[in-house]
Amino acid sequence: MTTVLTPASPLTAADRCDRCGAQAYLRVVLISGGELLFCAHHGRKFEPELKKIAAEIQDETDRLTAVQANAAEEEQH
């Protein structure tokens, strides 16, 4: 996914995927106006189509790997 670094506010646990309702990790600002939110799964699934219609894509999926790394460290202790 292409990441655009903008001063947009970070996504929170309250932001939900427009497709399935899971926590959103991608915000897609549309060329036509408005925005869509996606979980990592649906962001990857719709990536080719989103790139065609997006003015900006805010990708915070790296937070998922950070959470998994922290959980693995805690299990080792």
Side-chain angles (χ1 to χ4, degrees), residues 2-75:
T2 302
T3 304
V4 175
L5 300 174
T6 63
S9 59
L11 294 165
T12 69
D15 294 310
R16 310 313 283 180
C17 176
D18 290 328
R19 183 72 177 150
C20 70
Q23 184 173 346
Y25 288 93
L26 287 107
R27 174 181 285 128
V28 181
V29 179
L30 304 173
I31 294 169
S32 61
E35 68 180 30
L36 297 171
L37 300 175
F38 291 100
C39 63
H41 165 78
H42 284 111
R44 284 189 301 271
K45 181 176 180 178
F46 299 123
E47 180 180 5
E49 292 82 14
L50 292 174
K51 285 182 174 181
K52 294 175 188 175
I53 61 171
E56 297 179 38
I57 298 175
Q58 178 182 349
D59 183 353
E60 296 184 10
T61 55
D62 59 330
R63 291 177 31 213
L64 289 169
T65 54
V67 169
Q68 291 172 351
N70 289 339
E73 283 180 23
E74 290 177 11
E75 286 180 9

